[in-house]
Amino acid sequence: MKHKVKVKVPVEKRGFLGIRKTVMETRIIEVDGKTYKKLKKDWEKRPYSIEEMMFYDDIIYDE
C-alpha cells in the first residue's frame, strides 16, 4: 500500500546576484508501507520542539 508523506527536502536556489543558497522545501512523496511505519515510529520518538515545550509548560504551570 502506498502512503503520501510530507517531507522537507534541501534544495539549492539562486538568490540575489546569483549566489546559491540551500533552503528546505516541503514536498509530498509516496512511500511503501514498511517505510511509512518506520517514519511514523521515528516521528513518535523524536525530541520535543521548543514550541511544544513552551505549550506544555503553559498547560502544566497555569497558575
Side-chain angles (χ1 to χ4, degrees):
M1 181 174 194
K2 299 282 184 175
H3 298 274
K4 291 185 178 181
V5 181
K6 288 184 181 179
V7 180
K8 290 195 175 190
V9 181
V11 178
E12 279 194 10
K13 289 193 171 187
R14 289 179 166 254
F16 185 66
L17 297 176
I19 300 171
R20 292 179 183 248
K21 61 181 178 178
T22 304
V23 295
M24 299 297 281
E25 283 187 355
T26 303
R27 293 192 181 171
I28 298 175
I29 60 170
E30 286 189 3
V31 295
D32 60 344
K34 185 177 179 181
T35 308
Y36 179 75
K37 286 181 183 177
K38 183 179 181 292
L39 288 172
K40 190 173 178 181
K41 188 176 180 182
D42 290 343
W43 177 258
E44 292 171 355
K45 291 186 175 181
R46 69 173 172 71
Y48 291 127
S49 67
I50 301 294
E51 292 83 17
E52 287 174 322
M53 285 191 276
M54 291 174 63
F55 176 71
Y56 293 138
D57 190 41
D58 288 342
I59 291 174
I60 294 170
Y61 301 111
D62 193 33
E63 295 177 338

